[in-house]
Amino acid sequence: MVGTSFKDWCRYFQYNEDEDAEKEDREKRRADARNALLVVMTLIAAVTFQAGVNPPGGVWQETKETTINETGHQAGTAVCASESDAYYVFLASNTLAFSAAVLVIMSLTHKFPFKFEVRVAAVSMIITYGSAVFSVTPDDPNEDADNYITKFRLVLIIAAAPLVMRFLIQLFVMLINREPEPPCLVQACVKPKTKTTKPPTNEA
């Protein structure tokens, strides 16, 4: 019976790797967890890709020259880019979520059939996302060109952050466990529980 508190619901639905369970049961749990992660990450990738291609507010439909009283804009560029700081915060956060989702999808489909085709599709989608972001981001005439390039470099670094973090975590876990295929970071830092065996009892 599940309790009514939020903590009880979290414990009920969270993934539990029971080492005492049968091998078939453990494999079924891992398959269910992998399928759930694929669904969630595919949804995140689709939402963030759409947000990058079509940013909030859409794009300008016509080109308007800059005047003394009003700032101009170019057709096909993001409307929300008029607020430069807010736009780049959105762009960096959206790119980070998209990059992390694609990384998880590629990791979970590592030994799947047609994995080469899946990776080609994922890389092509990343290139498409980057091209769309570059095309809808306008050049700010009031901003220095070096500052503009620096912002885009920051976005590219953020896009590579999930891959770099995963590599560092795997390296850290490998150094701790000395295993070729280390488990997660939490399992590496937590000491394994020692199981106590009961002494045999003499049956009468």
Side-chain angles (χ1 to χ4, degrees):
M1 187 67 181
V2 184
T4 57
S5 65
F6 177 75
K7 191 175 183 180
D8 293 334
W9 281 104
C10 290
R11 288 180 178 177
Y12 179 76
F13 287 107
Q14 71 182 2
Y15 177 72
N16 184 18
E17 182 71 25
D18 189 3
E19 297 181 356
D20 296 332
E22 297 293 334
K23 182 178 179 181
E24 183 178 354
D25 189 21
R26 291 201 305 269
E27 291 180 353
K28 183 178 181 301
R29 291 184 179 182
R30 291 172 183 173
D32 292 340
R34 182 174 62 248
N35 294 335
L37 282 173
L38 279 174
V39 172
V40 173
M41 291 300 148
T42 302
L43 178 61
I44 294 175
V47 171
T48 52
F49 181 87
Q50 180 62 27
V53 173
N54 188 17
V59 296
W60 294 108
Q61 301 300 318
E62 74 286 339
T63 300
K64 185 177 181 180
E65 299 295 334
T66 302
T67 61
I68 299 176
N69 299 325
E70 295 182 358
T71 303
H73 51 261
Q74 187 177 0
T77 57
V79 175
C80 63
S82 56
E83 297 292 337
S84 179
D85 294 337
Y87 174 72
Y88 278 101
V89 169
F90 156 77
L91 185 60
S93 302
N94 190 74
T95 302
L96 179 62
F98 176 76
S99 178
V102 173
L103 175 63
V104 174
I105 292 173
M106 294 179 66
S107 300
L108 293 177
T109 57
H110 174 59
K111 294 185 178 181
F112 276 29
F114 302 103
K115 64 179 182 180
F116 176 75
E117 286 77 4
V118 172
R119 291 184 178 181
V120 170
V123 172
S124 301
M125 186 170 62
I126 293 173
I127 296 174
T128 305
Y129 175 84
S131 302
V133 167
F134 275 97
S135 63
V136 300
T137 302
D139 296 331
D140 192 352
N142 298 324
E143 189 175 16
D144 187 13
D146 293 337
N147 190 19
Y148 178 79
I149 295 175
T150 302
K151 287 183 177 180
F152 260 108
R153 286 178 179 175
L154 180 61
V155 172
L156 293 176
I157 293 174
I158 291 174
L163 179 61
V164 175
M165 290 177 61
R166 173 51 54 187
F167 174 77
L168 293 177
I169 290 174
Q170 293 294 90
L171 181 63
F172 177 72
V173 173
M174 187 180 298
L175 292 176
I176 291 180
N177 291 339
R178 303 293 182 180
E179 295 180 1
E181 295 183 359
C184 66
L185 180 63
V186 178
Q187 294 179 356
C189 297
V190 178
K191 295 182 180 179
K193 297 180 179 179
T194 57
K195 297 182 179 180
T196 58
T197 57
K198 297 182 179 179
T201 56
N202 297 326
E203 296 181 356

